[in-house]
Amino acid sequence: MDQPRRYVAVARKPVDREQDNPDSTSKNTAPARSTVAVDELSKLIIEQLQEDGRRSYAAIGKAVGLSEAAVRQRVQRLLDSGMVQIVAVTDPLQLGFLRQAMIGVKVSGDAQRVADELAEIEEIEYVVVTAGSFDVLVEVVCRDDDQLLEVINRRIRSLDAVTGTETFVYLKLRKQTYAWGTLR
């Protein structure tokens, strides 16, 4: 039996290592954000939000030993820094997106530049530069196979530096979680 899906969670924003590189010319690079110290209380707050992103500041404060106002300030600092974001996690199938896939992309030349170009494609939800058989992995969410074919053939493979792709179509999602906790 499938596990029930969690619809609200706190997800860590992807780390953009480019933002630390002053020589980077990536158009997707966010401006450097202020660094937030993550002490044990902040980690406890993050874990509370990962359990339920709609949990009240008062309830979180009671669980971690802070006032509602102190929790609100800490959460705002975490949001402003980009360390966390509070999002509604949806089930694409229930929203009419019948095809999901992971696509491995082989590149000649600058994989980071290609990753930036791939990140601009609306159907692509996840982009990561990797080491190994593929230079970049992307996750796509599409209405159907026709849209998936369009994304692969006309958008991904049409990029000059892309030398090959391999598509891994999702048959069934067995686990998806954003509650990995924090390092202590």
Side-chain angles (χ1 to χ4, degrees):
M1 178 181 228
D2 289 338
Q3 295 291 327
R5 305 222 26 176
R6 185 179 303 162
Y7 291 99
V8 178
V10 173
R12 179 175 53 97
K13 281 195 170 187
V15 175
D16 187 350
R17 305 271 190 240
E18 290 284 310
Q19 74 185 21
D20 297 328
N21 181 354
D23 298 327
S24 172
T25 58
S26 168
K27 64 183 169 203
N28 287 337
T29 301
R33 297 176 188 233
S34 61
T35 303
V36 172
V38 184
D39 60 12
E40 288 304 311
L41 284 172
S42 292
K43 289 178 182 181
L44 290 171
I45 291 169
I46 291 169
E47 290 171 358
Q48 289 286 308
L49 288 168
Q50 285 176 313
E51 289 176 18
D52 181 356
R54 297 176 295 174
R55 187 167 287 157
S56 73
Y57 293 140
I60 294 170
K62 185 176 180 181
V64 303
L66 290 176
S67 70
E68 178 180 350
V71 171
R72 181 180 294 109
Q73 288 175 348
R74 282 175 178 259
V75 169
Q76 192 59 53
R77 280 196 308 262
L78 292 167
L79 290 167
D80 290 346
S81 75
M83 185 175 302
V84 299
Q85 61 175 258
I86 300 172
V87 299
V89 179
T90 60
D91 181 345
L93 285 174
Q94 292 186 36
L95 293 174
F97 296 97
L98 303 178
R99 182 58 68 216
Q100 290 179 266
M102 182 69 68
I103 302 171
V105 181
K106 293 183 180 186
V107 172
S108 68
D110 187 351
Q112 293 181 90
R113 183 186 58 77
V114 173
D116 290 342
E117 291 176 22
L118 291 167
E120 297 297 321
I121 298 173
E122 181 180 352
E123 294 85 355
I124 294 178
E125 299 296 324
Y126 173 84
V127 179
V128 62
V129 178
T130 65
S133 301
F134 300 103
D135 300 299
V136 180
L137 290 175
V138 299
E139 182 177 38
V140 297
V141 177
C142 298
R143 289 184 309 276
D144 52 30
D145 287 336
D146 289 336
Q147 187 180 21
L148 177 60
L149 182 60
E150 165 77 19
V151 170
I152 295 168
N153 267 348
R154 297 216 172 118
R155 301 228 193 97
I156 296 174
R157 290 182 180 159
S158 69
L159 297 176
D160 289 335
V162 172
T163 61
T165 64
E166 186 171 347
T167 303
F168 304 91
V169 174
Y170 295 3
L171 299 176
K172 187 170 208 162
L173 182 63
R174 298 300 295 170
K175 181 177 181 178
Q176 179 179 10
T177 181
Y178 298 99
W180 49 76
T182 58
L183 292 176
R184 292 183 197 246

